Amino acid sequence: MGASNNKIVLLSLLLVVAVTRSSAQLRQNFYSQTCPNVEQLVRSAVAAKFQQTFVTAPATLRLFFHDCFVRGCDASVLIQSPINRAEKDHPDDISLAGDGFDTVIKAKAAVDSNPQCRNKVSCADILALATRDVVNLAGGPFYKVELGRRDGRISTMASVQRQLPQPDNNLNQLISLFNSHGLSQTDLVALSGGHTLGFSHCGKFSRRVYNFSPRNRIDPSLNLQYAFQLRQMCPIGVDPRIAINMDPVTPQKFDNQYFKNLQQGKGLFTSDQVLFTDARTKSTVNLFASNEAAFNTAFINAITKLGRVGVLTGNQGEIRIDCTRPN
């Protein structure tokens, strides 16, 4: 009995070691010898882009999330396919704003303009740094970023299928998806708080305000006044691509307003509002709504864990010369 128990413990330890080995090779000072000023180079390029358009912030944050949830944080979402069959061509990624891609490309150019850094820093790391910078520039916390990711060589449309959260997901579906990447229920709520920035499109939520169910035209978990506002902004027959702010109160500030909105029934997606209507996550929403510091701490922890998902390190992958195509 003792021997078989020991085997189980050993197997469990080996599994943990295998999962954490790649992320253990990430470290904050990874480029201290090869490109010591990488953070300043990225920051200045991101700040310049942010000055041009605020969309830089939500677009880059969303790009990072979509990259990490498909094949891990390997910048595979940036790859262009000559026949439009890459990750970015999947229906779930087609709405990724061009400003996010442009931010990474401009930051990469800034890094490579320094002879010491040229082709030394991965696109995956540049995206991770740019994400931290846009969060901070939009009023959110500043946090240290672990580095040392390598770029993936593969990007397929098929790999996106069923890998990203959907606007109509219930909590079980969300928890299962996040757990599959080693992310907890608290991480799920904290990362959903990224919806404090950015916008969606009428087509993504119109069912909630027009034909939710045979009994209820409007989703009963939706604030009625807010539902009528959404109907005004998204009348029947309108272009489904019309943009609507995710946070109707402070759409251009990274803050905890998203959670206060959920308390009032003003979550744009079912997958937002369920965080408050389901008892399993309601207390976390209430905590973050009343305590912005608690949200910021949880967000930093969650996005750091997200940045370790499926990373390529060491001699895996490559350092892409052009972020849009494998070497």
Side-chain angles (χ1 to χ4, degrees):
M1 184 71 183
S4 67
N5 273 352
N6 285 343
K7 276 183 188 169
I8 291 168
V9 169
L10 185 60
L11 282 171
S12 301
L13 282 172
L14 286 171
L15 187 63
V16 169
V17 168
V19 168
T20 56
R21 192 175 61 198
S22 287
S23 58
Q25 289 171 312
L26 298 181
R27 58 181 196 273
Q28 290 171 9
N29 63 346
F30 186 83
Y31 295 105
S32 59
Q33 302 301 310
T34 50
C35 181
N37 57 342
V38 61
E39 300 209 21
Q40 295 93 305
L41 291 166
V42 171
R43 176 75 172 208
S44 61
V46 173
K49 174 74 183 170
F50 181 79
Q51 288 300 315
Q52 290 170 2
T53 171
F54 180 81
V55 178
T56 301
T60 305
L61 177 56
R62 188 163 176 246
L63 191 62
F64 182 61
F65 183 88
H66 279 233
D67 183 45
C68 293
F69 259 51
V70 179
R71 307 187 75 92
C73 310
D74 66 347
S76 53
V77 74
L78 302 172
I79 292 176
Q80 288 178 1
S81 155
I83 54 166
N84 301 326
R85 303 290 293 173
E87 282 177 34
K88 70 198 291 285
D89 302 304
H90 188 278
D92 287 353
D93 278 346
I94 212 99
S95 64
L96 288 168
D99 287 305
F101 295 93
D102 191 48
T103 300
V104 179
I105 287 161
K106 284 189 162 69
K108 165 78 167 161
V111 171
D112 283 351
S113 70
N114 182 312
Q116 186 182 355
C117 301
R118 190 168 177 80
N119 301 329
K120 301 268 173 59
V121 183
S122 67
C123 301
D125 278 345
I126 289 170
L127 175 54
L129 286 168
T131 300
R132 183 270 310 277
D133 290 336
V134 296
V135 165
N136 186 230
L137 286 163
F142 182 87
Y143 56 92
K144 298 278 192 189
V145 178
E146 295 175 342
L147 301 166
R149 298 167 193 79
R150 306 262 295 175
D151 297 322
R153 296 189 177 99
I154 300 164
S155 180
T156 66
M157 212 164 137
S159 59
V160 182
Q161 200 64 23
R162 290 190 294 278
Q163 293 304 306
L164 293 163
Q166 300 299 313
D168 60 353
N169 277 165
N170 63 39
L171 193 61
N172 287 341
Q173 291 168 315
L174 293 169
I175 289 172
S176 160
L177 195 51
F178 277 70
N179 281 353
S180 71
H181 296 300
L183 297 163
S184 70
Q185 211 166 274
T186 304
D187 298 330
L188 157 62
V189 179
L191 289 170
S192 297
H195 283 172
T196 177
L197 300 176
F199 50 87
S200 183
H201 302 93
C202 290
K204 294 288 183 188
F205 59 84
S206 59
R207 202 175 71 84
R208 290 190 75 201
V209 295
Y210 285 115
N211 53 353
F212 180 69
S213 71
R215 183 176 292 179
N216 297 295
R217 284 283 181 85
I218 294 175
D219 181 343
S221 71
L222 198 56
N223 177 299
L224 204 53
Q225 188 186 356
Y226 182 48
F228 286 128
Q229 285 172 352
L230 291 174
R231 279 185 170 189
Q232 279 185 316
M233 293 185 280
C234 297
I236 290 172
V238 77
D239 185 334
R241 294 168 299 183
I242 295 278
I244 304 295
N245 288 324
M246 296 292 300
D247 171 0
V249 185
T250 55
Q252 295 201 351
K253 189 167 190 300
F254 190 98
D255 56 16
N256 65 338
Q257 183 62 48
Y258 166 83
F259 300 103
K260 297 175 185 178
N261 296 341
L262 297 186
Q263 290 175 322
Q264 296 164 31
K266 294 181 181 176
L268 191 61
F269 294 161
T270 304
S271 57
D272 293 314
Q273 196 56 49
V274 73
L275 301 177
F276 184 71
T277 54
D278 194 301
R280 289 173 288 177
T281 43
K282 185 173 186 172
S283 60
T284 309
V285 170
N286 286 336
L287 170 66
F288 293 165
S290 65
N291 186 335
E292 192 165 64
F295 164 51
N296 285 341
T297 300
F299 181 83
I300 292 168
N301 183 52
I303 204 157
T304 301
K305 284 169 70 177
L306 175 65
R308 297 170 183 159
V309 171
V311 292
L312 303 172
T313 58
N315 56 6
Q316 300 169 313
E318 64 187 17
I319 304 292
R320 230 176 275 155
I321 293 167
D322 173 350
C323 287
T324 68
R325 53 178 65 90
N327 295 346

